[in-house]
Amino acid sequence: VTNTTAVNSGQAIDVLLTGLTNPGALSPGNIQVSVGGVTLPALSITQVGSSNVYDVQFDLSAAVPSGSQTLIVYVNGESSTAATLTVAAAASTSGS
């Protein structure tokens, strides 16, 4: 996913983290993701190979507004650098 590719509500999103100061203390319970001001829990965190890169996965909630949104990952209360995530508008349904 890039800031020019829209993501959809309910979609699983992977974010790569680098430069963590205490990676030994990582668990989904001490990681939160904020997208457009909506706080979302991390579903999993996995080290990528033997590097200092970690893959955090979360589901994008329908509560996140569509459009260009700020994404921040919080690890033990410390925030990452902000990134941009483009959220697709929800599909509209029409009845007769």
Side-chain angles (χ1 to χ4, degrees), residues 13-28 30-31 33 42 44-58 71 73 75 80:
I13 308 292
D14 290 276
V15 175
L16 298 177
L17 300 177
T18 62
L20 300 174
T21 57
N22 188 11
L26 294 177
S27 72
N30 60 9
I31 298 173
V33 181
S44 66
I45 182 162
T46 308
Q47 186 174 10
V48 178
S50 60
S51 66
N52 189 24
V53 177
Y54 294 84
D55 180 356
V56 174
Q57 187 176 71
F58 66 97
L71 180 147
V73 178
V75 179
S80 69

Side-chain angles (χ1 to χ4, degrees), residues 26-41:
L26 294 177
S27 72
N30 60 9
I31 298 173
Q32 292 184 318
V33 181
S34 174
V35 180
V38 177
T39 301
L40 308 165

